[in-house]
Amino acid sequence: SSFSEPHLVANMGIDLIAGGRNKKTSRTAPKSDNVYVKLLVKLYRFLARRTDSKFNETVLKRLFMSKTNRPPLSLSKLAKFMKGKEGKVAAIVGTITDDVRLHDVPALKVCALRFTETARARIIKAGGECMTFDQLALSAPTGEGVVLLRGPKNSREAVKHFGAPGVPDSHAKPYVRSKGRKFEKARGRRASRGYKR
């Protein structure tokens, strides 16, 4: 017959995500179901789009990160990093923790996702201020006068065990039951047992 169906054959392509051609592995949204984090993402997505500020883009990117990539920052490190930056706001996309080794806490204006109870109490007692990121967005929408900080990522206990323990010149920490004479203290660890490195 003269009637013919429209030609609907599409060219075969590569499933970019499933087939492995998708080279973009960075997150575009947080894995967390925390509604407050999602609201912050909404806010900083808007700010990153509407302002040409690198600060907002960086904060947004860090809000997507896993907990491992958002390491906590102690009060002592915070005080050290903010020395000579009086009048500026310290921002950390993560947790601020207390440090008992620090005696005198300077008066700091700090913005973070979380504060431990003692850290918050000490900052406020010293005449400082604890802010949230939505408060920061109102006071500094482009991040002007804000120092963006990060905690030490490789200070986790797990990182100390990376590598092969027992190999010459390796400083990887072995997983042992106890730290004593009988545990991983034989050949290569004592001169009386073969050799000592």
Side-chain angles (χ1 to χ4, degrees):
S1 66
S2 59
F3 175 76
S4 62
E5 284 186 24
H7 196 62
L8 292 175
V9 178
N11 288 334
M12 290 298 285
I14 300 166
D15 185 343
L16 289 177
I17 293 170
R21 278 286 186 89
N22 184 25
K23 290 285 188 286
K24 282 198 176 117
T25 54
S26 53
R27 288 184 180 184
T28 52
K31 281 263 178 92
S32 163
D33 288 326
N34 187 326
V35 286
Y36 299 107
V37 171
K38 286 187 173 178
L39 282 169
L40 282 180
V41 164
K42 218 173 202 180
L43 170 64
Y44 275 90
R45 253 194 228 283
F46 172 80
L47 287 172
R49 193 179 75 241
R50 294 299 296 268
T51 62
D52 47 2
S53 155
K54 273 270 182 236
F55 171 83
N56 290 330
E57 285 176 26
T58 310
V59 169
L60 179 65
K61 186 175 72 183
R62 290 187 191 175
L63 283 169
F64 297 159
M65 287 182 180
S66 62
K67 199 169 181 185
T68 314
N69 290 322
R70 288 185 286 105
L73 187 69
S74 67
L75 270 181
S76 53
K77 279 270 170 71
L78 176 68
K80 183 182 137 191
F81 291 145
M82 293 306 286
K83 208 172 221 165
K85 296 187 177 76
E86 284 77 18
K88 293 199 171 192
V89 180
I92 169 171
V93 186
T95 309
I96 294 287
T97 55
D98 185 23
D99 193 341
V100 289
R101 297 167 299 180
L102 182 72
H103 296 299
D104 304 316
V105 180
L108 295 165
K109 216 172 179 189
V110 193
C111 172
L113 284 182
R114 279 183 68 239
F115 293 88
T116 61
E117 224 172 290
T118 42
R120 186 188 292 276
R122 287 188 75 185
I123 290 167
I124 291 166
K125 193 181 175 185
E129 193 184 335
C130 299
M131 298 168 74
T132 55
F133 272 96
D134 50 324
Q135 289 171 322
L136 183 73
L138 288 171
S139 62
T142 57
E144 200 176 332
V146 180
V147 181
L148 191 57
L149 299 171
R150 269 202 279 200
K153 194 181 159 189
N154 290 337
S155 291
R156 281 191 313 145
E157 175 62 24
V159 177
K160 293 176 184 175
H161 296 279
F162 291 174
V167 175
D169 299 326
S170 161
H171 295 286
K173 188 176 179 179
Y175 286 106
V176 284
R177 241 184 326 158
S178 308
K179 191 178 169 80
R181 176 190 55 79
K182 300 189 287 187
F183 304 96
E184 309 228 354
K185 288 281 192 297
R187 196 168 176 275
R189 296 282 186 179
R190 278 193 291 176
S192 61
R193 303 286 182 276
Y195 69 98
K196 183 182 188 312
R197 282 302 293 256

